[in-house]
Amino acid sequence: MAPAVAASAAVNQALRDRDILDAVGTSAAALSLAGSSFIVLCYLLFRELRKFSFKLVYFLAVSDMFCSLFTIMGGPSNAFYCFAHDYSAHFFCVASFLWTTTIAFTLHRTVVKHKTDVEEFGSIFHLYVWGTSLATTVLRSIGSDYGRPGTWCWIQQGSMAKVLHLITFYLPLWGAILYNGYTYFQVNRMINNATRMAVGISDRSIQSDVRADKKAFNRWGYYPLILIGSWAFATINRLHDFVDPGHKIFWLSILDVGFAGLMGLFNSIAYGLNSSVRRAIAERLDMYLPEKFKRSLPTLTRFKSQQENELTSLIVDASNNT
């Protein structure tokens, strides 16, 4: 009788843990869905944002939006639905961090190489992001067992399937992290060298331009940390599961689904809510809000006069000088 009671208690505890993980994952994904949808809506509503640089942010937000949406739609009981659900979730999650590499490439080519041809890479970016996402998604399906209930019902059976999961998701993920980190390091080094040269020749106009570039980079330079923060716990959890599949660490799983689910929210705040977006919103509020409400929003006046130099304006201005 005692073993039966213990087994029943273990099953109940596992179900409670599963419910907690589902709740955490769904809540995080819902926040990401809201944040990325807001950026998509801004791009569609505000014509002045439809520059090449923000178009990359738009596709990043679209990928995050669908990644979060399909994550929320977890727990299917139908095998075909499970197949379609996980194909879509994996595809758009991979596309999300691949779009960050196109933004890093654009920044590097504009600031470091002083090239103004970034818009010519638009088609190549789409082929690279969507093609790579599709290839990794198809490869991951090998050896997978569909139809299991849960937030992620795409269950890998055996070490081969788990290796494929690491190769098709975490390998491109950490490749993107390393590339973004290296790229932003190069940009930062170039700006620091320009700062020293400007100080050396005592040219105030050059110093002013370099300070503006430095201000822009200070906002954008730490964004590789978003991917690290979002997926570090998930990576550790996958590696632990590969080494010791019979021992699950509940608190690590909580951090895994929580931070990974928030990637879309982090991206929308970091990449999307730049000065151009805030200014567009402020201008619409200034246009349509009654005067009595405007006085209670002093930021409207500040945004009309303040011209911050962030990545969007940096790339667009460089392109317009051709």
Side-chain angles (χ1 to χ4, degrees):
M1 192 69 179
V5 173
S8 177
V11 170
N12 291 334
Q13 183 62 46
L15 291 175
R16 284 194 294 269
D17 291 348
R18 180 72 263 174
D19 290 340
I20 293 174
L21 288 173
D22 286 345
V24 171
T26 301
S27 299
L31 291 173
S32 290
L33 178 62
S36 55
S37 298
F38 175 75
I39 299 303
V40 170
L41 186 62
C42 287
Y43 178 85
L44 297 176
L45 291 179
F46 304 144
R47 190 177 300 273
E48 64 268 30
L49 295 178
R50 298 175 192 175
K51 304 295 192 297
F52 177 75
S53 56
F54 198 78
K55 186 176 293 185
L56 299 179
V57 177
Y58 165 73
F59 285 113
L60 169 63
V62 168
S63 300
D64 283 329
M65 183 176 67
F66 282 106
C67 175
S68 302
L69 178 62
F70 285 109
T71 299
I72 293 173
M73 293 168 60
S77 57
N78 180 273
F80 174 78
Y81 184 87
C82 184
F83 179 87
H85 155 259
D86 278 308
Y87 240 81
S88 304
H90 183 270
F91 177 86
F92 285 108
C93 289
V94 172
S96 173
F97 55 75
L98 292 182
W99 277 116
T100 68
T101 65
T102 68
I103 296 174
F105 173 87
T106 302
L107 178 63
H108 182 269
R109 189 168 182 82
T110 304
V111 178
V112 176
K113 294 190 174 182
H114 304 289
K115 301 290 186 179
T116 58
D117 59 349
V118 288
E119 294 193 31
E120 298 177 8
F121 289 86
S123 299
I124 298 175
F125 287 164
H126 282 285
L127 180 62
Y128 154 67
V129 172
W130 304 126
T132 303
S133 301
L134 179 61
T136 58
T137 303
V138 173
L139 286 174
R140 187 189 169 186
S141 67
I142 300 174
S144 297
D145 182 15
Y146 296 96
R148 303 287 186 88
T151 302
W152 294 95
C153 59
W154 199 340
I155 306 297
Q156 285 77 30
Q157 297 296 325
S159 59
M160 182 58 186
K162 293 181 179 180
V163 169
L164 281 174
H165 179 39
L166 292 174
I167 291 175
T168 58
F169 189 87
Y170 289 95
L171 184 62
L173 166 65
W174 284 95
I177 290 172
L178 292 175
Y179 174 77
N180 289 353
Y182 173 78
T183 298
Y184 286 115
F185 170 77
Q186 291 289 317
V187 174
N188 186 47
R189 186 172 66 174
M190 188 280 299
I191 293 177
N192 287 334
N193 291 337
T195 302
R196 286 192 292 268
M197 291 178 59
V199 172
I201 63 177
S202 300
D203 189 323
R204 291 183 177 275
S205 62
I206 296 179
Q207 291 181 34
S208 177
D209 291 340
V210 171
R211 280 195 299 269
D213 288 349
K214 186 66 175 178
K215 182 180 180 180
F217 181 78
N218 285 339
R219 175 174 172 81
W220 290 86
Y222 60 85
Y223 290 153
L225 296 177
I226 292 175
L227 284 178
I228 297 176
S230 297
W231 293 103
F233 294 111
T235 303
I236 296 171
N237 203 21
R238 295 293 87 73
L239 292 174
H240 176 269
D241 182 60
F242 182 78
V243 174
D244 188 8
H247 179 220
K248 303 294 183 181
I249 303 177
F250 181 64
W251 64 264
L252 183 59
S253 297
I254 289 287
L255 295 175
D256 172 357
V257 299
F259 279 91
L262 289 172
M263 180 182 67
L265 178 64
F266 295 152
N267 284 337
S268 63
I269 294 173
Y271 291 94
L273 291 180
N274 54 49
S275 62
S276 299
V277 175
R278 297 196 301 271
R279 190 177 303 115
I281 295 173
E283 289 174 355
R284 296 313 187 280
L285 291 175
D286 183 59
M287 185 182 304
Y288 297 110
L289 277 181
E291 193 63 35
K292 62 179 180 179
F293 291 109
K294 294 179 186 180
R295 288 192 293 268
S296 63
L297 296 173
T299 54
L300 291 176
T301 303
R302 176 169 59 86
F303 273 116
K304 285 191 291 184
S305 59
Q306 181 181 6
Q307 296 294 321
E308 296 178 358
N309 187 1
E310 298 181 357
L311 177 64
T312 301
S313 58
L314 186 66
I315 296 173
V316 172
D317 290 344
S319 301
N320 289 337
N321 289 330
T322 57

